[in-house]
Amino acid sequence: MSEVFTKSMARNIYYGGSVFFILLFLALTFDTMGTLPKQDNRAAITPQVALGKKVWEENDCIGCHTLLGEGAYFAPELGNVYKRFGNSTEAIKAFIKSRPVNGVPGRRSMPQFNLSDEELEALAQFLKYSSEINTQNWPPNIQG
Amino acid sequence: MKYSSQAVAKLYFMAAIGLFVGQILFGLVLGLQYVIGDFLFPAIPFNVARMVHTNLLIVWLLFGFMGAAYYLVPEEAERELYSPKLAVALFWIFLVAGALTILGYLLVPYAGLAQMTGNDLLPTMGREFLEQPTITKIGIVIVALGFLFNVGMTILTGRKTVITMVLLTGLTGLAVLFLFSFYNPDNLVLDKYYWWWVVHLWVEGVWELILGSILAFVLIKVTGVDREVIEKWLYVIIAMTLITGIIGTGHHYFWIGTPGYWQWLGSVFSALEPIPFFMMTVFAFNMVNKRRLNHPNKAAVLWAEGTAVMAFLGAGVWGFMHTLAPVNYYTHGTQITAAHGHMAFYGAYVMIVLTIISYAWPIMRGEKAANKRAQVVEMWAFWLMTVSMVFITLFLTGAGVLQTWLQRYTDTPLPFMEVQAKIAPFYWMREVAGLVFMIGLALYVYSFFAKGESSGDATPV
Ligand code: HEM
Ligand code: HEM
Ligand SMILES: [Fe+2]
């Protein structure tokens, strides 16, 4: 780099640029926090849904599945599984409940988590809530 | 070695390499589970192997960063480390806490681990990369604070250089942003929004400062180029990192329930994120071309140049490929993401840690550079690991393109599991490339023990 462009100019761009963009990011975050109530389906977060999220986390479902496209890529997307299963929480519960303890021979397998009825219902309600978040029309189709 | 306290870095580097080996072994298990679905089931389910793989990666990179700081800070600050004893104590605390956590993942069902460690009190577990029990997270914060205190006191009471100030900024940012891992609201959208403040603002923000400063340090040492020139480059690179990378966080806010304007902001700013990586490549090659001395450590020079190139390919090129919202709409959460994640992590952060180890290790042993044969072995390891990572990336990209095509970008989408069966050949090839990676890594470990003829001293150009 030439002599015209000095080290102190470079340093000023670093300081000025960082501060400006940190502040801009905070301002955008502030605006996003104001907009979210309209689209993040928070009205649906009942204590049951909150419990469902905890069951989701404590069994590390994200370690095999994606949820709204984030997570692991080993097993189907679950952000829209409620819709894929015909808007049925019963079907979701039945699927989770019916996983064989020793897996399905030769096939990618999902563990049997031995959840209580309360936990199962909460998990299914959590997945229903997730499917009703406004995600700008993602995923492109029902297969997720 | 100028200061005897720099030697604590040895412990950190040894642990880093040991955990690296563990990480890759679990990578191979994961790769096999992709094609033999019930491999090791139910003893080690995929999610458990995955958290071991990714957490080992993060922990060994942190060991690497800390070792790098303990090595280069005294030399830059021109004084002994503030407290070598604290550095050793924190090393053992971190290693034991890390080992217990990994054993916990492997020996106890995850829900049981959550219960045992009191996840109820402050639920933070069960989110990707942040699977650690809350007490482990608290332990990480304590180790990070002790480390920052030690390094900070050394820097602030010694000679302050651009390199150490940038490094300290990066390390402080790393610790501060990690605090967002304790925020886990019931609202999934909020949870995801702030989760990225740890993950994205780490790898595309503060970690790049750490990367830049380590690279600058090694380049000064192996090329003898004037510090002023190198520091100017460093400032420009990290300026571009933060100018593009902070708002670039928006490329994760397209489809998670956040407002639509992020599609514009995230696309535009993240499309500029390759710039600092490109500058890093130009920087590294320029400095080597303008070198004032021929350093006998050829392997370290190779690692430094390799880092610059592979970081640009993995983060810059493979990142750009899927970062525009209309593309990401179809590729979000597919094997394309995995392809990019692998090459970017390897190219930027794995390689920079191996660069500083390559440079510093022989010096800590009392030589200027490793013997000739050891360097040849190390360079073979470089090529085997790097080329096989390129192939892992290419195979996953192939898998990802087909997955996107069959499951997303079509009027007749097939179900996930059917698509996975169709693209299995790519996963088999990825596994083979992974085995070659493992061979490269074994050679790398062997290079530390290889004996041979001394490689001499630096000579002027
Ligand atoms: C230094 C080398 C490696 C690095 C830096 C690395 C890094 C990573 C990262 C960052 C993830 C999370 C990916 C994401 O969420 O997009 C991951 C997952 C994974 N890695 Fe690696 N890895 C390495 C080597 C390997 C090897 C050699 C294999 C197998 C042959 C492997 C197999 C996998 C698999 C199967 C996953 C899970 C992908 C999924 O979620 O479905 N990795 N690795
Ligand atoms: C060294 C720097 C980088 C590293 C280590 C890195 C690593 C990763 C990883 C591991 C993921 C997967 C996260 C998850 O599991 O959900 C990811 C996602 C992503 N990265 Fe990077 N990345 C880097 C730089 C970049 C850059 C410079 C760009 C853009 C030009 C980029 C664009 C993206 C995008 C768009 C995603 C989201 C993929 C999706 O929608 O599934 N990354 N990155
Ligand atoms: Fe990102």
Side-chain angles (χ1 to χ4, degrees):
Chain A
M1 270 178 270
S2 73
E3 293 309 310
V4 194
F5 185 71
T6 61
K7 188 169 111 184
S8 74
M9 287 160 83
R11 186 182 52 216
N12 291 342
I13 297 176
Y14 164 58
Y15 284 133
S18 316
V19 170
F20 178 80
F21 282 100
I22 289 171
L23 292 177
L24 179 60
F25 188 55
L26 291 177
L28 288 165
T29 295
F30 184 76
D31 182 78
T32 298
M33 292 306 120
T35 322
L36 281 186
K38 276 180 267 166
Q39 59 183 81
D40 66 9
N41 195 24
R42 65 180 62 189
I45 308 178
T46 57
Q48 192 181 34
V49 167
L51 173 66
K53 183 166 184 277
K54 196 153 155 288
V55 176
W56 169 269
E57 287 165 359
E58 294 194 341
N59 290 283
D60 192 48
C61 311
I62 203 79
C64 291
H65 291 278
T66 47
L67 184 62
L68 306 187
E70 294 169 3
Y73 321 115
F74 183 73
E77 160 70 27
L78 295 185
N80 66 341
V81 70
Y82 171 72
K83 294 179 177 163
R84 185 158 61 248
F85 279 11
N87 296 329
S88 161
T89 51
E90 289 309 315
I92 294 177
K93 289 195 288 183
F95 185 93
I96 299 173
K97 231 166 142 165
S98 63
R99 293 305 91 202
V101 177
N102 288 316
V104 184
R107 190 176 166 93
R108 292 187 195 173
S109 302
M110 169 160 152
Q112 171 52 258
F113 292 103
N114 297 314
L115 301 174
S116 68
D117 287 344
E118 188 197 3
E119 289 172 323
L120 264 176
E121 183 61 35
L123 198 46
Q125 291 299 332
F126 168 69
L127 290 173
K128 174 173 186 287
Y129 143 79
S130 306
S131 75
E132 286 159 358
I133 292 170
N134 174 354
T135 54
Q136 315 284 337
N137 271 327
W138 193 91
N141 64 60
I142 198 68
Q143 299 299 350
Chain B
M1 197 168 53
K2 284 203 185 119
Y3 299 92
S4 60
S5 56
Q6 286 175 284
V8 290
K10 259 191 167 180
L11 278 178
Y12 284 80
F13 290 157
M14 275 192 277
I17 296 170
L19 299 176
F20 182 19
V21 173
Q23 183 223 331
I24 298 306
L25 289 175
F26 277 88
L28 292 172
V29 168
L30 290 167
L32 208 52
Q33 289 179 330
Y34 246 81
V35 279
I36 305 178
D38 59 349
F39 178 64
L40 293 184
F41 192 89
I44 306 181
F46 181 87
N47 63 319
V48 171
R50 190 186 202 271
M51 66 177 101
V52 173
H53 179 65
T54 56
N55 290 18
L56 279 176
L57 169 69
I58 293 167
V59 169
W60 85 257
L61 291 178
L62 293 179
F63 270 116
F65 292 164
M66 290 194 270
Y70 285 132
Y71 181 84
L72 73 78
V73 163
E75 194 156 322
E76 288 284 295
E78 299 187 331
R79 55 155 291 172
E80 292 287 354
L81 193 61
Y82 180 76
S83 169
K85 282 210 184 89
L86 179 61
V88 173
L90 290 175
F91 169 81
W92 288 109
I93 295 174
F94 196 38
L95 189 67
V96 170
L100 284 177
T101 303
I102 301 291
L103 284 177
Y105 292 162
L106 288 168
L107 300 179
V108 187
Y110 193 72
L113 188 64
Q115 197 147 46
M116 278 165 53
T117 56
N119 193 50
D120 274 340
L121 300 173
L122 177 58
T124 66
M125 294 173 70
R127 294 170 303 151
E128 195 194 358
F129 302 124
L130 305 182
E131 293 91 352
Q132 313 81 27
T134 304
I135 43 169
T136 303
K137 290 196 181 82
I138 295 173
I140 294 174
V141 171
I142 293 171
V143 169
L145 286 179
F147 163 74
L148 281 176
F149 169 73
N150 206 356
V151 168
M153 288 303 283
T154 315
I155 293 176
L156 299 178
T157 60
R159 180 180 71 145
K160 297 173 196 64
T161 66
V162 176
I163 288 179
T164 53
M165 294 314 286
V166 172
L167 181 66
L168 188 60
T169 312
L171 293 167
T172 309
L174 185 158
V176 169
L177 288 167
F178 184 69
L179 296 178
F180 284 95
S181 71
F182 291 94
Y183 178 61
N184 180 19
D186 294 336
N187 183 330
L188 184 65
V189 179
L190 284 181
D191 172 5
K192 285 176 173 288
Y193 190 92
Y194 291 103
W195 179 84
W196 284 111
W197 287 34
V198 185
V199 178
H200 170 98
L201 290 178
W202 264 11
V203 299
E204 289 156 75
V206 291
W207 285 29
E208 277 187 61
L209 271 58
I210 301 171
L211 163 61
S213 56
I214 300 176
L215 188 62
F217 174 80
V218 174
L219 286 174
I220 288 183
K221 298 291 166 177
V222 298
T223 66
V225 170
D226 192 18
R227 181 180 283 274
E228 282 295 302
V229 178
I230 287 192
E231 289 177 345
K232 187 163 45 169
W233 271 98
L234 179 57
Y235 270 135
V236 179
I237 289 171
I238 60 173
M240 286 316 294
T241 295
L242 296 180
I243 288 171
T244 61
I246 294 174
I247 309 294
T249 314
H251 64 183
H252 304 293
Y253 296 163
F254 297 158
W255 329 114
I256 60 165
T258 31
Y261 59 70
W262 283 111
Q263 289 179 27
W264 285 99
L265 285 166
S267 297
V268 170
F269 278 87
S270 69
L272 301 174
E273 282 184 43
I275 294 173
F277 287 100
F278 184 67
M279 293 175 77
M280 235 179 270
T281 313
V282 177
F283 168 53
F285 279 84
N286 242 326
M287 296 306 107
V288 173
N289 283 338
K290 287 190 185 149
R291 70 188 178 278
R292 298 247 201 86
L293 53 86
N294 285 317
H295 198 279
N297 195 337
K298 300 276 177 283
V301 178
L302 180 64
W303 280 113
E305 289 179 323
T307 304
V309 172
M310 295 301 292
F312 173 64
L313 277 181
V317 178
W318 254 262
F320 182 80
M321 241 164 57
H322 61 160
T323 207
L324 300 175
V327 176
N328 192 264
Y329 184 66
Y330 294 103
T331 61
H332 182 44
T334 62
Q335 296 300 321
I336 303 277
T337 309
H340 155 70
H342 275 85
M343 206 200 258
F345 255 109
Y346 175 76
Y349 302 118
V350 169
M351 290 184 82
I352 193 62
V353 170
L354 300 188
T355 301
I356 183 78
I357 294 179
S358 179
Y359 171 73
W361 191 271
I363 299 177
M364 290 191 289
R365 264 191 188 175
E367 316 165 303
K368 184 95 185 168
N371 67 62
K372 281 187 177 153
R373 192 164 143 268
Q375 284 201 44
V376 170
V377 176
E378 188 181 346
M379 290 197 252
W380 267 95
F382 169 96
W383 286 110
L384 279 174
M385 288 196 277
T386 304
V387 171
S388 57
M389 185 47 78
V390 169
F391 276 98
I392 289 178
T393 308
L394 289 174
F395 294 143
L396 289 179
T397 306
V401 168
L402 276 177
Q403 180 186 12
T404 303
W405 192 260
L406 295 169
Q407 189 189 318
R408 297 260 175 90
Y409 193 77
T410 164
D411 292 331
T412 49
L414 296 177
F416 178 93
M417 292 298 279
E418 276 180 39
V419 173
Q420 293 299 308
K422 286 190 197 300
I423 60 186
F426 285 94
Y427 297 135
W428 277 112
M429 293 191 285
R430 181 262 303 267
E431 186 68 354
V432 173
L435 282 169
V436 178
F437 191 100
M438 187 67 228
I439 295 171
L441 180 55
L443 267 187
Y444 177 72
V445 172
Y446 169 67
S447 76
F448 287 83
F449 305 97
K451 304 228 175 331
E453 181 191 341
S454 158
S455 46
D457 219 332
T459 50
V461 172

